[in-house]
């Protein structure tokens, strides 16, 4: 990189004041790092035929929709992965699958919103036939000593949190030093 010292000579340092940096770390910042680690360790588990689908599950479905007894463009798909509760399908579709099981075939009588992008079906009644092929559920680990021991190099939550605190401190200190340098140069 460019070394400004080769080109600039800063005269006497008289009167150059540098603000002391004062670094605070909130419990919330530590909690956010813990949450990120839990999120990263979340795994999807396959549901069995006995499990009822819940919001948050991903259902693999085949579906076909009919308006006035005719299939319409974009209303049919196979092996589609849908996260229940994501709001990616019209109202009532995802809710209609909650409580159902793998292997179920469900008939959903719904209505497209009036402002739906597909003009030919906007505001119309639709019947979706949905077959649930498979489903997975995210399994987010609990934050405890066992999690710390199997996912980090630490033995206890306290040690792990202390390391997160150090990490955040270093990042903030680095940032503060850079801001100091910038204000000195300007």
């Amino acid at each position: 990189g460019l070394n400004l010292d080769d080109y600039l000579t800063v005269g006497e340092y008289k009167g150059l004041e540098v603000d002391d940096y004062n670094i605070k770390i909130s419990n919330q910042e530590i909690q956010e790092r813990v949450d990120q680690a839990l999120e990263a360790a979340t795994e999807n588990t396959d549901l069995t035929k006995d499990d009822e689908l819940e919001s948050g599950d991903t259902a693999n479905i085949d579906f076909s929709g009919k308006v006035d007894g005719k299939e319409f463009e974009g209303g049919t798909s196979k092996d589609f992965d849908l996260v229940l509760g994501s709001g990616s399908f019209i109202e009532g579709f995802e809710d209609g699958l909650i409580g159902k099981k793998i292997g179920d075939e469900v008939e959903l009588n719904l209505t497209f919103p009036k402002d739906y992008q597909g003009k030919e079906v906007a505001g119309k009644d639709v019947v979706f036939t949905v077959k649930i092929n498979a489903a997975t559920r995210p399994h987010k680990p609990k934050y405890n000593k066992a999690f710390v021991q199997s996912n980090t190099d630490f033995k206890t939550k306290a040690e792990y949190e202390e390391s997160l605190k150090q990490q955040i401190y270093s990042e903030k200190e680095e940032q503060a030093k850079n801001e100091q340098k910038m204000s000195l140069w300007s």
Side-chain angles (χ1 to χ4, degrees), residues 41-69:
T42 296
E43 290 174 353
N44 286 318
T45 52
D46 292 332
L47 298 187
T48 70
K49 290 198 182 321
D50 299 328
D51 295 315
E52 293 188 357
L53 295 182
E54 296 173 2
S55 183
D57 293 346
T58 298
N60 178 280
I61 57 174
D62 296 341
F63 63 89
S64 78
K66 291 184 176 167
V67 170
D68 302 327

Side-chain angles (χ1 to χ4, degrees), residues 19-55:
D19 297 333
D20 270 345
Y21 45 84
N22 160 4
I23 297 175
K24 290 190 175 63
I25 298 168
S26 69
N27 288 337
Q28 191 189 341
E29 289 173 291
I30 293 172
Q31 189 55 52
E32 282 167 8
R33 297 287 167 109
V34 169
D35 290 342
Q36 287 167 3
L38 292 173
E39 210 53 59
T42 296
E43 290 174 353
N44 286 318
T45 52
D46 292 332
L47 298 187
T48 70
K49 290 198 182 321
D50 299 328
D51 295 315
E52 293 188 357
L53 295 182
E54 296 173 2
S55 183

